[in-house]
Amino acid sequence: MLRLLFLSTPVGPLGSGIGGGVELTLYNLAKEMNKRGHQVKIIAPQQSSLPYITCQEIPGIWQEMIQSSKRDTPIIFPRNSVLANMWNSAKKVEDNYDLIVNFAFDWLPLYLTPFFKCTIAHLISMGSMTEAIDDMIRQVDISFPYTIGVHTQEQAKTFPFLKNFYILGNGIDVPLYKFCDNPSNSFSWIGRISPEKGLEDAILAAKTANVKLKIFGKIQDIDYWNNIQTKYSDVDFQYEGFFDTSKLQEKIRVSKAILVTPKWIEAFGNIIIESLACGVPVIAYKRGGPAGLVKNEETGFLVTPDNISELVHAIKNIEKIDRKKCRDYVEINYSLKVLGDRFEEWMLMLKK
Ligand code: HBI
């Protein structure tokens, strides 16, 4: 039995959607490890709330999203930083745990690693973003082998200096997603509405293919969103909102397919396995994590990145994909059991 302390992302409360895929990953890992008889405690920003799991809520000012940094942007901490407060709390209780798991993509937890007695595992949830964080990842990789965990090989490639990392993959609670074999006529796009996610490409493709597009996710960058609405006012797209897992799967399961059009290297792409679990095929740019998740012409189509006409061609051929194959693929490769086995193996490998 392992006593695990999870430290959440500092960009917003768990359950708010601001932390994107990390929120779902943290929640699924806590649920699965508790189910396996381990003890998981979570330290997270105030107002965090997860079903059936208590979090120690820490006050303080949220950390700015790393996406708004440039490669050489200095590390900036607000006054009364929730990230600093969270790690200050962790320091006080570290003796009660076998392992600490860091879910933040930030400089501080990496820098603090050598100052903790307890081993810290870092689940790196994005591709390379800034020089300062890369330097810290490199240092931890050298001094604490295999404590750097990534989701995919494609993501690891964005950190060419990484030598001793652990590939975790990811996984979802598949029974929560209901298979749908009789889709509607609309396509969907799911994700934080922010420039790096490339929503405008999906809108352009839907316009050219003359199909309806439904949009799900948190509006992270309001200026970006307003620009899109002005620029594409003639396109038939509908913003549906941000939903928790059970509501989201209910709304996306009837989609003909989802369009995944990232401009950056997605580390993984939770929404891809969530959609496939519902039987929804995936049309994705062959870029980053999604390139390893979609089986071309079997569970969807992988197209040349940033190529709108290939997106359109895939939309027009979506009937070729067998929706049951999409569901089976996730059940076999991305269940909580698969994720739990990989994570448990990682933890047992690091436990002193
Ligand atoms: N930015 N500073 C910072 N810290 C995070 O933990 C973080 C982030 N931006 C996005 C994010 N986490 C998650 O949405 C992704 O890792 C999935």
Side-chain angles (χ1 to χ4, degrees), residues 99-112:
L99 286 150
I100 293 172
V101 186
N102 167 42
F103 288 80
F105 189 97
D106 285 281
W107 180 88
L108 183 66
L110 294 157
Y111 174 75
L112 289 176

Side-chain angles (χ1 to χ4, degrees), residues 219-268:
I219 298 178
Q220 198 119 59
D221 183 326
I222 191 67
D223 297 336
Y224 173 69
W225 175 235
N226 290 337
N227 287 340
I228 280 189
Q229 292 192 84
T230 319
K231 197 172 166 188
Y232 301 107
S233 51
D234 58 328
V235 185
D236 179 17
F237 67 83
Q238 178 90 22
Y239 176 61
E240 300 285 328
F242 167 73
F243 303 96
D244 67 14
T245 298
S246 64
K247 209 94 196 92
L248 177 70
Q249 68 83 31
E250 198 181 299
K251 289 178 174 293
I252 63 170
R253 59 193 289 275
V254 293
S255 311
K256 287 210 82 154
I258 63 163
L259 301 178
V260 181
T261 52
K263 292 297 175 187
W264 68 339
I265 301 278
E266 281 289 347
F268 185 75

Side-chain angles (χ1 to χ4, degrees), residues 92-160:
K92 292 193 178 94
V93 297
E94 66 165 317
D95 296 340
N96 308 338
Y97 295 92
D98 298 304
L99 286 150
I100 293 172
V101 186
N102 167 42
F103 288 80
F105 189 97
D106 285 281
W107 180 88
L108 183 66
L110 294 157
Y111 174 75
L112 289 176
T113 302
F115 300 100
F116 273 70
K117 292 193 294 299
C118 184
T119 301
I120 302 174
H122 299 276
L123 180 50
I124 302 298
S125 59
M126 287 187 268
S128 170
M129 295 297 285
T130 72
E131 304 304 340
I133 292 179
D134 275 15
D135 288 353
M136 275 304 134
I137 290 176
R138 187 201 326 248
Q139 284 183 37
V140 170
D141 181 45
I142 293 164
S143 316
F144 304 93
Y146 299 104
T147 61
I148 296 289
V150 294
H151 286 299
T152 60
Q153 187 68 37
E154 290 79 10
Q155 176 201 356
K157 280 184 205 142
T158 67
F159 304 103

Side-chain angles (χ1 to χ4, degrees), residues 8-11 17-22 63-67 103-106 125-126 133 192 220 264:
S8 178
T9 168
V11 296
I18 301 171
V22 157
Q63 192 68 16
E64 194 175 312
M65 304 284 285
I66 196 71
Q67 290 92 314
F103 288 80
F105 189 97
D106 285 281
S125 59
M126 287 187 268
I133 292 179
R192 286 179 294 108
Q220 198 119 59
W264 68 339

Side-chain angles (χ1 to χ4, degrees), residues 291-309:
L293 299 181
V294 180
K295 293 289 156 251
N296 196 35
E297 304 200 353
E298 284 184 49
T299 61
F301 296 102
L302 286 173
V303 305
T304 309
D306 313 320
N307 187 317
I308 307 290
S309 53

Side-chain angles (χ1 to χ4, degrees), residues 176-192:
L176 294 182
Y177 300 80
K178 301 284 171 275
F179 174 63
C180 164
D181 207 6
N182 52 341
S184 69
N185 268 331
S186 67
F187 287 72
S188 294
W189 184 93
I190 314 161
R192 286 179 294 108

